[in-house]
Amino acid sequence: MTTQEILSAAKAAKPALAALSSEEKNAALLAMAEELTAQQAAILQANRADLEAAKGTIPDVMLDRLALSEARIAGMAEGIRQVAALPDPVGQVLKRVERPNGLVIEKRMVPMGVIAIIYESRPNVTSDAAALALKAGSACVLRGGKEAFRSGYAIVQALKAGLRQVGLPEDLVNIVEDTTRKSSTELMTAVGYVDLLIPRGGPGLIRACVENATVPCIQTGTGICHVYVDASADVDMAVNIIENAKASRPSVCNAEEVCVVHQDAAPRFLPALQKRLTEERAAAGKPPVELRLDEGAALLIPGTPAGEKDFDTEFLDYVLAVKLVDSVEEAVAHINRHSTGHSEAIITQDAASAERFVAEVDSAAVYVNASTRFTDGGEFGLGCEMGISTQKLHARGPMGLEELCTYKYIIHGSGQIR
């Protein structure tokens, strides 16, 4: 099917969701989850073909993003079940006002309609996005990266089978078959067909959508995430948090890219960090983290001199830029200047420093003594997420069911005229 045909089919299918109860939507989601696991052999076969074609063309950490396994498919199915178990936002009354003239005005949550998602080589996004859109009452049009097309297509066929099982139109979940830039442009400009566009990917994709979309678009994703080690930080806690934030999965947007360190903590903290991230990881057979150091940090530990762009780069790899500062104020200023507004953390035992940091850092998620890797829909109790918004209207942070709805006013009268 052409992209336009897919858009038309999604628009035609969306009214079928409007009349469904929460129980009916949940039954559809559970059927989709069952089909996902039932068809895992076909999905894994498609994924192997994607991996083979991608080898040598994308970095190893991105291959990890692309790879599926029985455990990952089981996790995807469980994510759908968790969405089914969540409260249904559609129809929720946000506000009710009775006016002096007797009019009763309700502000009620309603579906967006058709949600388009452009994303890169992460097959699990396919099922997450489809489940969230359906529970929020919207049809979805998925446009994955070319490296993951076979995997995404196989996943969508399983989800469509689940929809057919419960008698719903399979065009409530769609995947764009054209993997050229043309299809992305078609989604960005599909006025009258797409009610909300969500790009998930690198800065180039996000920028293209923000600059070219004529449909409503939410800016998501790029994560130059910082962890600030304050003067009073517990060194062991800081090292543990930073290893998790940087090295547990460096290819994701909530991974740490920059470590900011108070100069009073640096002499005791930086040697411990360098030992953990480089020497101990190498000895354990794990990829060591390359430390890119500013002038002050380079006086205390070995590493690579930081380049001009290292504090403005989303590495998505085993690389960490390190910056020394002389106060929490300087740390906040550096973070606000270089951050993409995703996730930042402070490691401190000083309540005043923590409060100043959370009040003044202008990002969607701000942590005290915890890893940035928790910025995730599942970890926030949203089941899964459509993406992480780094803008301020209308959604910010992990986007769950409520963020995929809009609202309208319902006014009840008894013959009033103005």
Side-chain angles (χ1 to χ4, degrees):
M1 294 175 70
T2 67
T3 304
Q4 184 56 52
E5 288 171 339
I6 290 168
L7 288 166
S8 297
K11 183 176 180 178
K14 74 175 182 179
L17 277 175
L20 293 185
S21 66
S22 297
E23 291 73 20
E24 290 169 318
K25 287 191 287 187
N26 292 340
L29 289 167
L30 294 176
M32 290 160 64
E34 288 301 314
E35 284 295 327
L36 200 59
T37 53
Q39 298 190 31
Q40 73 174 7
I43 294 169
L44 289 173
Q45 182 179 357
N47 186 246
R48 284 192 292 271
D50 279 338
L51 286 169
E52 191 61 34
K55 283 179 182 175
T57 65
I58 61 176
D60 287 348
V61 289
M62 303 307 285
L63 284 173
D64 176 65
R65 272 188 168 192
L66 175 57
L68 290 176
S69 63
E70 289 187 7
R72 284 190 177 181
I73 292 174
M76 290 157 60
E78 180 57 27
I80 296 176
R81 296 186 186 101
Q82 289 176 8
V83 172
L86 292 172
D88 189 346
V90 178
Q92 179 183 337
V93 176
L94 300 173
K95 188 176 181 181
R96 185 179 185 277
V97 176
E98 185 168 350
R99 300 293 297 151
N101 62 5
L103 287 178
V104 176
I105 303 172
E106 286 185 350
K107 184 180 182 181
R108 188 182 300 177
M109 295 186 78
V110 297
M112 285 286 180
V114 174
I115 299 174
I117 307 97
I118 303 176
Y119 56 104
E120 294 178 345
S121 305
R122 295 184 65 181
N124 63 296
V125 173
T126 305
S127 59
D128 288 356
L132 286 165
L134 189 106
K135 182 70 179 255
S138 289
C140 68
V141 177
L142 305 160
R143 197 283 188 190
K146 62 182 179 181
E147 295 88 358
F149 175 73
R150 299 174 187 86
S151 306
Y153 188 84
I155 291 166
V156 167
Q157 299 320 299
L159 302 179
K160 285 177 176 287
L163 291 170
R164 289 195 298 270
Q165 272 191 30
V166 295
L168 287 176
E170 64 177 49
D171 289 323
L172 290 172
V173 177
N174 308 271
I175 187 164
V176 172
E177 297 175 23
D178 175 12
T179 59
T180 69
R181 290 184 179 180
K182 178 186 175 187
S183 63
S184 294
T185 302
E186 287 182 89
L187 294 183
M188 294 178 206
T189 56
V191 176
Y193 293 92
V194 170
D195 297 289
L196 179 65
L197 172 65
I198 303 172
R200 289 187 58 164
L205 170 62
I206 307 301
R207 185 168 56 251
C209 289
V210 171
E211 292 176 355
N212 299 309
T214 55
V215 299
C217 176
I218 287 183
Q219 187 169 336
T220 69
T222 306
I224 300 178
C225 302
H226 297 73
V227 176
Y228 167 55
V229 180
D230 193 30
S232 66
D234 179 283
V235 168
D236 290 338
M237 177 193 290
V239 170
N240 288 337
I241 286 173
I242 288 171
E243 183 177 26
N244 177 262
K246 175 69 264 181
S248 61
R249 202 170 180 194
S251 64
V252 294
C253 62
N254 58 23
E256 179 192 5
E257 304 292 17
V258 179
C259 181
V260 181
V261 184
H262 195 289
Q263 62 182 9
D264 292 348
R268 54 194 170 87
F269 166 73
L270 285 180
L273 182 74
Q274 189 270 334
K275 182 179 179 183
R276 174 72 68 84
L277 293 189
T278 61
E279 298 171 19
E280 292 182 2
R281 287 183 62 83
K286 299 176 182 178
V289 176
E290 179 189 351
L291 301 176
R292 297 193 182 171
L293 311 173
D294 78 349
E295 291 181 1
L299 296 175
L300 298 171
I301 56 172
T304 305
E308 183 181 344
K309 297 181 179 179
D310 283 335
F311 293 103
D312 295 293
T313 298
E314 186 182 28
F315 298 111
L316 301 176
D317 205 344
Y318 293 98
V319 179
L320 181 67
V322 180
K323 165 77 175 175
L324 296 196
V325 295
D326 61 11
S327 65
V328 65
E329 293 84 2
E330 187 182 352
V332 168
H334 176 87
I335 290 169
N336 284 340
R337 185 164 60 249
H338 296 276
S339 169
T340 53
H342 193 295
S343 301
E344 328 297 344
I346 181 174
I347 316 301
T348 188
Q349 301 301 312
D350 186 324
S353 291
E355 186 54 38
R356 180 155 197 173
F357 188 88
V358 300
E360 296 183 12
V361 167
D362 191 17
S363 293
V366 184
Y367 294 83
V368 178
N369 296 329
S371 170
T372 58
R373 289 280 284 109
F374 286 104
T375 307
D376 174 270
E379 297 294 335
F380 277 24
L382 305 178
C384 49
E385 72 188 30
M386 189 66 83
I388 297 172
S389 171
T390 53
Q391 63 179 37
K392 299 181 182 180
L393 298 174
H394 77 285
R396 195 178 195 194
M399 296 173 59
L401 293 172
E402 292 184 5
E403 289 75 24
L404 298 181
C405 290
T406 183
Y407 58 82
K408 64 183 176 185
Y409 289 95
I410 313 295
I411 302 96
H412 294 276
S414 53
Q416 288 90 338
I417 60 173
R418 181 172 176 178

